[in-house]
Amino acid sequence: DGRQAVSASKDGAVKIWDLESGHESGTLQVDAGRVMLPVSVVAVSADGRTVVFESWGHSLSVWDLADGRERCTLTGHHRPIQWVALSADGRMAVSASADRTLKVWDLDSGLERCTLTGHTSEVKMVALSSDGRMAVSASTNRILRVWDLDSGQERCTLAGYQHDLY
């Protein structure tokens, strides 16, 4: 809604900022008793209610910003998560991982809907269509794959880039 921003940093802090005042309004912390790893992946839903960020490299932490509480942890990747994208309605996330897969998550239940396979190198980025029915992923071997998220099937492969995609 343009009133808040969320940032992540190498010290493991995920901070919420009030854009009117320019001051920090909160910090999200997965587990105060453990040393945090750097957080380099974070996404916020379009309605500003949900934040999803990488926690401990291989999982995602889902937070409700209205009450400042963690809703669930999404686990299943075997190597670090490189990117996460949220659907416009904030009910679905798609994570891209160095394990060469993407995972589609239902944020209401906290369950994995499906795993998208086909990349032959690390998946670095993912973007969703505005209706949340399609995704495009990019891997380190300069290949883009287009996915139908309703069926979990790859629709096509886009190749031919001479330089890195990111």
Side-chain angles (χ1 to χ4, degrees):
D1 61 6
R3 293 183 296 177
Q4 297 182 92
V6 177
S7 64
S9 71
K10 288 185 178 183
D11 68 0
V14 176
K15 295 183 180 282
I16 297 141
W17 302 91
D18 181 305
L19 296 179
E20 259 186 56
S21 70
H23 293 101
E24 179 185 337
S25 60
T27 300
L28 307 180
Q29 199 166 11
V30 175
D31 185 342
R34 295 171 70 183
V35 175
M36 288 299 297
L37 296 176
V39 176
S40 60
V41 175
V42 64
V44 182
S45 63
D47 64 8
R49 294 180 182 180
T50 304
V51 174
V52 177
F53 60 91
E54 152 213 24
S55 59
W56 308 105
H58 303 125
S59 61
L60 293 167
S61 186
V62 180
W63 287 71
D64 184 326
L65 284 181
D67 63 14
R69 294 180 189 218
E70 185 177 20
R71 288 186 4 212
C72 61
T73 300
L74 309 174
T75 60
H77 283 293
H78 304 291
R79 297 207 44 221
I81 294 168
Q82 308 284 348
W83 201 272
V84 65
L86 299 181
S87 61
D89 64 8
R91 298 180 68 197
M92 177 182 58
V94 179
S95 54
S97 173
D99 67 10
R100 302 178 181 182
T101 69
L102 296 110
K103 291 195 178 286
V104 182
W105 306 95
D106 180 316
L107 297 183
D108 291 332
S109 67
L111 298 175
E112 180 184 327
R113 286 179 39 192
C114 65
T115 298
L116 307 176
T117 59
H119 281 287
T120 58
S121 65
E122 293 183 19
V123 187
K124 297 298 275 183
M125 291 188 282
V126 63
L128 301 182
S129 62
S130 60
D131 64 4
R133 298 183 69 195
M134 305 242 311
V136 177
S137 56
S139 61
T140 56
N141 64 354
R142 302 181 184 131
I143 300 290
L144 296 171
R145 296 187 187 274
V146 180
W147 306 92
D148 180 319
L149 297 179
D150 291 331
S151 69
Q153 299 297 310
E154 183 181 334
R155 293 194 58 185
C156 64
T157 300
L158 309 172
Y161 285 91
Q162 301 284 327
H163 302 284
D164 290 344
L165 295 168
Y166 42 91

